[in-house]
Amino acid sequence: MSRPLPSSFDSNPDFYEESRFRKLMRRVREEPFVPLGMIVTCIALYKATQSIKKGDKAMTNKMFRARIYGQGFTLAAMLAGTLYYKEQRAQEKEVEVVKAQEKREERKQAWLKELEARDEEDKEIALQAAKLAERRKLAEGASIGEQAKAAAQTRNAVLEEKKEKEKEKEKQ
């Protein structure tokens, strides 16, 4: 029987902590001057386009200068934020790396548990199939010696599988 690899943990939301929106909101709270500079730049650009349509050259020049100042302010805010939060972000990145490794290990352990559970199910099904085969042979009227030999072979195979499984568990 071929089954797809376990994937019941792939869509688990617990493996993802911060959404893009939450990250954006956190960054806006950390550096409020960057979005402010972006808004000033956009407003200045919008008013410049309006003044171009009206033909007001003096206002157009003022708005283009305001746009440049807004962009400069945004750039300065970004640089200041980068310098101010540099160490904090490095620490956060280290923590994220550790969390990611822990999550990968958790996923791996969960995946292994699921594989072991499926292996147990497969062995149980094989044992049931062996029992059914043994019953069929009895029902077909085989001689008593043949029936006992088949039953012993089935039991030995099942016991060997259990011993191998226990050895594998001890190795882990």
Side-chain angles (χ1 to χ4, degrees), residues 37 40-42 44-45 48 62-72:
V40 168
T41 303
C42 291
L45 189 59
K62 280 184 182 180
M63 287 299 109
F64 277 133
R65 285 188 199 111
R67 179 189 60 88
I68 291 170
Y69 295 142
Q71 285 177 327

Side-chain angles (χ1 to χ4, degrees), residues 28-77:
V28 167
R29 281 190 302 272
E30 286 177 359
E31 299 181 50
F33 294 115
V34 173
L36 178 67
M38 292 169 58
I39 290 169
V40 168
T41 303
C42 291
I43 290 171
L45 189 59
Y46 176 73
K47 287 193 174 191
T49 56
Q50 281 184 334
S51 63
I52 288 173
K53 288 180 183 178
K54 290 180 182 177
D56 188 0
K57 292 182 181 184
M59 184 61 128
T60 302
N61 284 331
K62 280 184 182 180
M63 287 299 109
F64 277 133
R65 285 188 199 111
R67 179 189 60 88
I68 291 170
Y69 295 142
Q71 285 177 327
F73 178 78
T74 305
L75 183 61

Side-chain angles (χ1 to χ4, degrees), residues 123-142:
K123 286 181 180 180
E124 190 67 35
I125 290 171
L127 179 62
Q128 289 174 358
K131 287 179 182 178
L132 286 174
E134 187 177 323
R135 289 180 187 163
R136 278 190 201 130
K137 285 186 179 183
L138 289 172
E140 290 175 355

Side-chain angles (χ1 to χ4, degrees), residues 33 105 108:
F33 294 115
E105 187 61 31
K108 180 180 177 184

Side-chain angles (χ1 to χ4, degrees), residues 13-27 29-30 92 96 99 103:
D14 293 337
F15 287 106
Y16 307 101
E17 286 185 8
E18 190 174 43
S19 68
R20 289 181 181 178
F21 180 73
R22 286 185 182 171
K23 185 175 184 178
L24 174 69
M25 294 312 295
R26 179 177 53 86
R27 290 283 175 94
R29 281 190 302 272
E30 286 177 359
E92 287 175 2
E96 286 177 16
K99 284 183 182 179
K103 287 180 183 182

